[in-house]
Amino acid sequence: MKYIFFLLLGFVICVNLFFLHKNYVAGNFLEENITGDASHYLEIAKNLKSFGVYSDNNSSVPTESATWRPPFYPFLLSVFLFISDNVFILILLKVLFQVLLVFLGCYYLYINKVFSKSIFAVGCIVLIEPYYLKYSYSLLSESISASLLFLFFCFFLISIIKEKYFFLTGFMGFLSVINHPVVVFFIFILLFIVFVKMFLMNKFSAIWFAVFFLLLILIWPVRNYFVFNKGLFLTASQGSTFSKGWNEKVVYEFNNVDGDLADEGLNLKYLGSDINPSSYSVLDLSKLYKSATVEFIKINGWVGNVSIAKRKIISNFIPFPEKPKEGLIELSASIFRCLYLLFGVYAIFNLIFFKFKEYILFSVYLAVYFSQTLMSIFIYTGLRFNSVYNLVLFFVIALYFYSLYRSERNLSFKF
């Protein structure tokens, strides 16, 4: 197995070097080519490094627009900036950090005897997941989210199977949420399972665990409340994303490629015709978008709202881009997503017809898709947002076949 691991490691390194070279040739590591969300993350990180303040205007004054971004990744990027401000070096540090999280998860699975040493080979192979690679070699946060979620999943397995690391699992769930709130439903589902496990063991510990996680989750919203005095909120993007996912054009124009490019101002007309978005601050406009979208939902009616939700859910489960996307990584990503979907159907089949084999892996796999469905309804999802789950999805498949090969039966629910 040692030789297989080194062969896999060599293969994974070669694949990563290929994408590193491809992005280098394309000029993706030049700061002048960093735009959009990636540019904003970098701007906030630079402000944190220079002034120690979560802002995006090169000053010591906190800004509402900076809170558009959840805090974990900008803080991490600001730490990397103390080493180098070169974009190429920053991305290398980011990739190394992600790999560290993946192997840390495998290490804890190994030392807690959930799996043998060969788990490192299984963990190694997930690092070639196409969309994980795509976002690894950019300053976007999705690949960081994927690796954080991976580590959270590893601690979840240990907490359920070995009945330990409950609070560490909760802490990793917290980090995952404040890095990318799109995972919030998935985190809550799995932590509820942890809570039930604890409750059956020790009710007081379970209650303390729930309080512990709640206090962690409230840290950033409470900070925002005291800084801006405009309510509790995790990110200033909440109103905008809500509006983009619920408007009159969703049924006809929504797709799984650029849902986040929708016009969030479409619903403002339901509050009046004289509203000028430029006259509102970021947080006030976010609240306005939310109120306008609520009005749209009321006016749209039950049938119309179901049609919108249905369109977004169907889009979520389509493994192919609904808008043309060319390139090797997009083709390979579509193949992987088909694999994930097929395994999801297989998981449902097993849980329904073979109840004596209620694998944790199957249940977690379905929790991913259930949480995606909830997020699709609440705001929207897409290929980019869903990529945060891809390491977990790929790892679950690898673990399942690994457990069959090793004839391991410690992956079934036994509360």
Side-chain angles (χ1 to χ4, degrees), residues 23-304:
N23 280 275
Y24 183 81
V25 171
N28 293 337
F29 301 143
L30 299 175
E31 187 165 346
E32 56 265 31
N33 293 335
I34 306 297
T35 59
D37 293 353
S39 175
H40 198 202
Y41 283 123
L42 184 59
E43 194 175 10
I44 297 170
K46 286 181 176 180
N47 209 99
L48 281 167
K49 175 180 177 291
S50 300
F51 300 99
V53 175
Y54 202 81
S55 180
D56 56 5
N57 65 351
N58 195 32
S59 76
S60 59
V61 179
T63 55
E64 293 183 9
S65 53
T67 62
W68 192 273
R69 309 296 169 190
F72 179 82
Y73 181 51
F75 275 103
L76 177 67
L77 204 53
S78 70
V79 174
F80 293 161
L81 282 170
F82 282 100
I83 301 174
S84 174
D85 60 359
N86 181 280
V87 173
F88 179 74
I89 301 300
L90 291 175
I91 290 177
L92 282 183
L93 290 170
K94 177 191 171 197
V95 171
L96 290 175
F97 178 76
Q98 294 167 180
V99 172
L100 175 64
L101 293 182
V102 170
F103 277 88
L104 194 61
C106 294
Y107 173 74
Y108 274 95
L109 289 175
Y110 167 64
I111 64 170
N112 286 281
K113 299 180 180 178
V114 178
F115 294 102
S116 63
K117 253 185 191 177
S118 50
I119 189 61
F120 290 102
V122 178
C124 181
I125 198 66
V126 303
L127 295 175
I128 64 165
E129 206 289 327
Y131 258 36
Y132 166 77
L133 284 173
K134 175 181 178 178
Y135 292 115
S136 289
Y137 292 102
S138 75
L139 285 179
L140 292 170
S141 67
E142 277 72 18
S143 58
I144 288 288
S145 293
S147 55
L148 283 171
L149 209 61
F150 179 94
L151 186 55
F152 165 76
F153 171 65
C154 292
F155 282 125
F156 168 79
L157 283 183
I158 297 169
S159 66
I160 294 299
I161 296 169
K162 296 296 181 178
E163 300 179 353
K164 58 194 301 188
Y165 297 145
F166 295 115
F167 286 87
L168 191 52
T169 303
F171 181 72
M172 288 309 306
F174 156 70
L175 292 184
S176 298
V177 171
I178 65 167
N179 186 69
H180 209 312
V182 75
V183 303
V184 64
F185 291 124
F186 178 71
I187 297 297
F188 281 4
I189 291 169
L190 264 59
L191 288 185
F192 178 74
I193 295 173
V194 172
F195 173 80
V196 171
K197 182 78 171 180
M198 292 184 70
F199 194 81
L200 295 174
M201 296 167 53
N202 187 311
K203 292 180 176 60
F204 178 78
S205 295
I207 293 171
W208 170 230
F209 170 80
V211 172
F212 167 76
F213 181 72
L214 181 63
L215 290 175
L216 285 177
I217 286 294
L218 285 174
I219 288 175
W220 192 247
V222 168
R223 174 266 180 191
N224 292 334
Y225 174 82
F226 282 109
V227 171
F228 303 109
N229 195 28
K230 293 185 178 181
L232 292 169
F233 63 94
L234 187 58
T235 71
S237 64
Q238 292 172 184
S240 176
T241 53
F242 187 40
S243 183
K244 288 179 179 181
W246 286 94
N247 60 71
E248 60 196 24
K249 291 189 177 182
V250 170
V251 173
Y252 309 102
E253 297 184 4
F254 184 83
N255 64 76
N256 60 13
V257 174
D258 50 16
D260 59 333
L261 299 180
D263 183 3
E264 64 264 38
L266 285 172
N267 295 330
L268 291 178
K269 60 188 176 185
Y270 296 103
L271 294 181
S273 58
D274 57 343
I275 295 176
N276 180 13
S278 62
S279 63
Y280 291 84
S281 70
V282 171
L283 291 176
D284 290 333
L285 190 58
S286 179
K287 292 179 180 180
L288 200 66
Y289 286 143
K290 180 181 177 181
S291 299
T293 305
V294 170
E295 289 302 313
F296 164 75
I297 292 172
K298 290 178 181 178
I299 295 171
N300 198 41
W302 173 255
V303 175

Side-chain angles (χ1 to χ4, degrees), residues 327-388:
L328 174 63
I329 198 164
E330 298 298 339
L331 175 62
S332 56
S334 294
I335 294 172
F336 273 68
R337 285 191 294 269
C338 286
L339 173 65
Y340 303 152
L341 195 58
L342 287 172
F343 190 82
V345 173
Y346 176 70
I348 293 172
F349 180 82
N350 272 270
L351 286 175
I352 292 176
F353 296 102
F354 299 98
K355 293 184 179 180
F356 60 96
K357 291 183 179 178
E358 294 180 342
Y359 289 106
I360 289 176
L361 298 181
F362 287 159
S363 300
V364 169
Y365 209 86
L366 296 182
V368 169
Y369 283 122
F370 182 60
S371 63
Q372 286 182 4
T373 300
L374 291 176
M375 190 57 70
S376 295
I377 296 171
F378 182 56
I379 49 171
Y380 57 87
T381 53
L383 302 184
R384 176 180 165 186
F385 284 177
N386 286 344
S387 70
V388 302

Side-chain angles (χ1 to χ4, degrees), residues 11-34:
F11 173 68
V12 169
I13 290 173
C14 288
V15 171
N16 276 264
L17 288 175
F18 169 76
F19 281 101
L20 180 67
H21 174 72
K22 187 176 180 181
N23 280 275
Y24 183 81
V25 171
N28 293 337
F29 301 143
L30 299 175
E31 187 165 346
E32 56 265 31
N33 293 335
I34 306 297

